[in-house]
Amino acid sequence: MSEEKMVSLNTIDDQLIKKAADEGIETMWDRKKAMKAPCGFGEKGVCCRICGMGPCRVSPVAGKGAQKGICGATADTIVARNFARMVAAGTASHSDHARDIAHVLHMASRDGNYQVQDEKKLIALAQEWEVPTEGRDIYDVAHEVAEIALNEFGKPFGTLRFPDRAPAPRRKIWEELNIMPRAIDREIATIMHSTHMGCTSDAESLLRLSMRTSLANGWGGSMLGTELSDIVFGTSTPRMTEANLGVLEEKQVNILLHGHDPCLSEMIVAAAQDPEMIKLTEEVGAEGINLAGMCCTGNEVTMRHGVKIAGTFYQQELAVLTGAIEAVIVDVQCIFPSLAPITDCYHTKFITTSPKAKITGATHIEFNEEKALESAKVIVREAIENYKNRKQDKVFIPQSKAQAITGYSNEAVIKQLDRVVNSNIDPQGTVKPLADVIKAGVLRGAAGIVGCNNIKTKHEYSHIEIMKKLIANDVIVVTTGCAAQAAAKAGLLSKDAIKLAGKGLQAVCELVDIPPVIHLGSCVDNTRIIRLVSAVSEHLGVDNSDLPVVGVAPEWMSEKAVAIGTYVVSSGIDVFLGITPPVTGSPEFVDLLTNKIEDMTGAKFFIDENPLTLADKILERIEEKRTKLEARLAKEIDYGVIKPEEEVEETKELA
Amino acid sequence: MNLFQTVYNGSNVALNAAEGLLKQAIKEKGKDHNVAFPDTAYSLPIIYAATGLKMATLADLEGAIGVVKSLIVEEPRLEPALNAGLATAVSAEIIEAIKYALNDAPYEAPCVGHISDATIRALGVPLVTGDIPGVAVVLGKCPDSETAGKVIKDYQSKGLLTFLVGEVIDQAIEANVKMGLELRVIPLGYDVTSVIHVVSVAIRASLIFGGVEPGNLEEHLAYTKKRVPAFVNAFGPLSELVVSAGAGAIALGFPVITDQIVTEVPTLLLTQKDFDKIPATSLEARNIKIKVTEIDIPVGFAAAFEGERVRKDN
């Protein structure tokens, strides 16, 4: 039990885990226990099973035990190949997500379920891609833009379009390293090819391939995902919400939206407001429909509609254990297959909707994008009709929730920054105020804290400890994914949290009217962060790697996180990992990630499983980058300050 | 040089100057020599507001030097930088107090130096009613007298109370700016440290009108930020000392607008090179809205009606 008490920051989680034990239900913690000690070979990345001669496992210790696989692949090759495949899988996940949204944009019509919500953003993108907009029907523009977007996945020639958005020095680095991404799917396929038996056997080459593929994610798939979602579903603006399992309602139909793709969740939100559905809700005796989001789909709908956040990745089983959920509606990514047996213990319907993610034991109601709203209503109807089956004696809704502000798209961030622009000096709509406070040192730097939950560490402890330490030291935090939801639950996304910030960040938060931790969205929305950083770099005339900016994944878990971390480092931003990736079997590859890669990109990985020392390293690195940046900017700016010799005379006069 | 380091350097310049001057004064007059500003019940108002302690002698000022030192903690953060700005204010007050201790009339016309409690009480009501919509502190040197005159007269025409420090005083005189309390233009002195006499006005407003306890520095700063609509215009090349004093102004809640290129901090430290836009920039930065007077008359009254023809039938 003592181990279970340490699972998370939330005492309510312990109560639910106890409920699971009492009811004889297996959770991830039980499975972790059953797993016993993890395999050291897999943990260190030195196990290879890519051909029929294996599986091979080589010794992580040089000069001792098997040093090579059957084919002769060394630990360096095996580790780097495994890492590259993680990057490929992560990139594939984000990109396929984006592809669906591009398809939806392509099918958008004036009277259809999917429409263009943000015309301004569409037109800006059309202009960026040189699609004529003048005098054209917005839907014709949309379809042409969508087609170009879809071609980004598999165009035969050239490189991707979005990398043009990066600062010039950064593009030059990518060109020199030959890692400018070509087509998104092509990069993923190249990795799968190069990591095939008997192909690339050079750790540095594999890392470069990983970097290029990851860039096809960050400056390709994910960026398309964010951009096109904003166009179809609207660019988010700040709004209030609530977070944690306490958002579930005793007398309402609780629908848990879990997964990633807003094409589904947006329609569920619309269906839940449909008069027909509301009438049905009354008929079953419920007081309403309560949508609650989880994981990134939760982030998408909370950003755009303020839908409440039920919880993070690790709480998906716990949410069902409340016994108060009529349906768990899922699409793709980060969905525990264990939700099938757990929901079987309750009245809860576990509904899969995507042909890309069918789960044995779940009810599969395929979501049809051609008839999106109808399709969503069928799914919501299942949930509502299930209300009467709720077993009241099994219901336990923990009374815990926190207030949060979400909805900060980059556009919304810039709008907040406009509040502090003096109209007699500067134009509105730029990142200058942010660049100014970073340059002046009022903010020491900025950190993007992102990523998952991981059973290897106490849930959310690392997220929250690091966030608190950074904001107390005048480092502004932007956050996405499950890290953002952890922040929401801990109250860090509220303006009350300003009191936890250092004086500099406090001053900024008060002037700009923002919380010290800013929710930028889902995991594809990490591209908002790299764009914001790039905008500040361009404003200051430097590269991303010159800025005191870091990325942190304190509790990362998925291959998507590996791809994200890699594109962030490739974009020139240091990445701090709170969970050690399976690479330690190759000291050479560890050296590449945590040292040599800096010579290539100006940024590197830092790995430390202790969140407190990791936070110290972040602050240290931020100051290190500041010193260099200040020296560089001081050369360019006169500052109008009298030279020291003149000062001496003035002092004499004073005395 | 980064902004905070510039502030710390300036604070140390001020500290060294205060220390040197104090040593010299003690040597000349002895430790028990009296220290006081004329016509105030608040001793050395800044030190009194910050520490709750009244300074009576040069020996007391030695203690005040300790306060200055404790306020200078050279860490790269906003909070210690603002504290160092306050340290500069305290150093300046020490320097100015010594001027009064060594000389019965350290200031002569046109400069007024220290401002009496009676004057502050007289200013209190129009400040509260918004009759004086703001307080401008114009410091340094404009490119020429004409520019100086234009900026100051602009503030004057809007009813602001303007304090002048440095060469801008002579420039204002040359530009024919009429000065005096009733005319709301007050030249303080030529030394940078004489700017402290306007800080003293803001701090005494907090003591007198705000009723804030002496020693509760945080509350005093909250009061000045909220209630005293002051801002600083620092013109001409800025010494580290001036930048440091500017940090003190920012600690009090007063934005600093300069014509020099500096590391800007939104709403707090701004560069405006166009002198025609200095007043508008400053008023916006301090969120000062000019009160428009509506005259209760039965016909429309506005500049738009100027030049209207009155025909026989009317």
Side-chain angles (χ1 to χ4, degrees), chain B residues 206-230:
Chain B
S206 177
L207 287 161
I208 299 169
F209 307 121
V212 177
E213 286 295 310
N216 191 344
L217 179 59
E218 210 168 304
E219 275 296 302
H220 283 292
L221 298 178
Y223 182 90
T224 54
K225 183 177 178 182
K226 206 169 161 200
R227 300 287 183 152
V228 184

Side-chain angles (χ1 to χ4, degrees), chain A residues 141-187:
Chain A
V141 176
H143 299 156
E144 196 174 331
V145 164
E147 201 173 323
I148 295 175
L150 287 164
N151 277 317
E152 290 294 277
F153 288 89
K155 61 185 179 188
F157 305 111
T159 51
L160 291 181
R161 290 164 178 262
F162 280 154
D164 285 351
R165 293 175 162 189
R170 186 56 25 190
R171 293 200 302 272
K172 194 161 167 258
I173 286 170
W174 292 340
E175 268 155 21
E176 282 170 6
L177 291 173
N178 196 20
I179 58 169
M180 193 61 100
R182 303 159 302 173
I184 300 162
D185 292 347
R186 182 178 180 187
E187 300 304 354

Side-chain angles (χ1 to χ4, degrees), chain A residues 632-647:
Chain A
R632 179 170 172 170
L633 293 175
K635 269 181 225 158
E636 288 161 17
I637 297 175
D638 178 12
Y639 287 98
V641 175
I642 297 174
K643 304 291 168 294
E645 312 90 76
E646 296 172 61
E647 186 94 66

Side-chain angles (χ1 to χ4, degrees), chain A residues 420-425 432 436-437 441 444 473-474 503-504 511 630 634 637 639-642 647 650 654-655, chain B residues 1-2 4 21 76-79 237-241 261 263-267 270-272 277 280-281 284-285:
Chain A
V420 298
V421 171
N422 192 302
S423 68
N424 298 288
I425 303 177
K432 179 172 183 279
D436 278 348
V437 286
R444 304 311 292 166
N473 281 284
D474 289 341
K503 191 98 170 181
L511 290 169
E630 282 166 4
I637 297 175
Y639 287 98
V641 175
I642 297 174
E647 186 94 66
E650 195 190 23
L654 273 177
Chain B
M1 186 68 68
N2 68 50
F4 293 161
L21 197 61
R77 292 280 191 282
L78 180 67
E79 189 168 22
L238 306 172
S239 65
E240 290 181 325
L241 177 63
I261 295 172
T263 31
E264 287 181 88
V265 179
T267 75
L270 304 173
T271 299
Q272 175 57 275
K277 288 185 181 168
T281 306
E284 185 178 320

Side-chain angles (χ1 to χ4, degrees), chain A residues 351-606:
Chain A
I351 303 173
T352 54
T353 61
S354 169
K356 296 175 198 175
K358 286 194 178 180
I359 294 172
T360 305
T363 307
H364 188 73
I365 307 177
E366 197 146 308
F367 177 62
N368 179 354
E369 283 157 350
E370 301 286 349
K371 295 177 189 159
L373 187 59
E374 276 313 305
S375 193
K377 281 203 266 185
V378 171
I379 297 166
V380 171
R381 184 183 294 273
E382 281 282 320
I384 299 170
E385 284 173 348
N386 195 26
Y387 180 71
K388 56 182 183 291
N389 299 325
R390 198 191 280 184
K391 293 168 191 144
Q392 288 305 334
D393 57 323
K394 278 193 160 185
V395 171
F396 167 68
I397 302 175
Q399 295 308 305
S400 176
K401 59 184 176 184
Q403 299 286 318
I405 307 174
T406 75
Y408 291 102
S409 56
N410 286 9
E411 290 81 351
V413 168
I414 287 170
K415 202 166 168 217
Q416 291 301 125
L417 294 176
D418 280 344
R419 293 169 61 97
V420 298
V421 171
N422 192 302
S423 68
N424 298 288
I425 303 177
D426 294 311
Q428 301 231 308
T430 74
V431 294
K432 179 172 183 279
L434 177 58
D436 278 348
V437 286
I438 285 180
K439 193 162 80 175
V442 172
L443 291 187
R444 304 311 292 166
I449 301 187
V450 306
C452 328
N453 300 119
N454 191 317
I455 195 150
K456 288 179 181 167
T457 184
K458 185 174 170 179
H459 283 119
E460 292 172 0
Y461 175 74
S462 302
H463 285 310
I464 301 310
E465 284 302 314
I466 294 171
M467 285 182 192
K468 282 187 178 165
K469 179 106 186 220
L470 295 188
I471 63 173
N473 281 284
D474 289 341
V475 173
I476 195 165
V477 171
V478 297
T479 181
T480 63
C482 286
Q485 296 181 330
K489 286 157 59 183
L492 296 180
L493 300 185
S494 79
K495 285 177 195 161
D496 283 349
I498 292 175
K499 61 179 184 288
L500 301 175
K503 191 98 170 181
L505 180 54
Q506 252 178 36
V508 170
C509 289
E510 278 161 13
L511 290 169
V512 181
D513 194 28
I514 47 170
V517 180
I518 302 172
H519 188 343
L520 287 191
S522 64
C523 53
V524 292
D525 294 336
N526 283 324
T527 56
R528 294 196 206 276
I529 303 178
I530 53 173
R531 286 205 71 197
L532 207 49
V533 173
S534 298
V536 172
S537 298
E538 290 206 304
H539 179 85
L540 294 174
V542 299
D543 192 4
N544 296 344
S545 54
D546 297 318
L547 294 183
V549 169
V550 299
V552 195
E555 304 176 18
W556 74 272
M557 154 299 293
S558 76
E559 291 164 319
K560 290 181 289 174
V562 178
I564 293 168
T566 308
Y567 79 63
V568 170
V569 166
S570 305
S571 298
I573 301 163
D574 294 309
V575 167
F576 292 74
L577 301 176
I579 301 285
T580 308
V583 294
T584 52
S586 165
E588 161 70 16
F589 197 69
V590 172
D591 187 41
L592 275 169
L593 290 183
T594 60
N595 182 25
K596 285 181 183 154
I597 198 171
E598 191 178 3
D599 296 335
M600 300 187 239
T601 70
K604 61 183 177 181
F605 284 95
F606 292 76

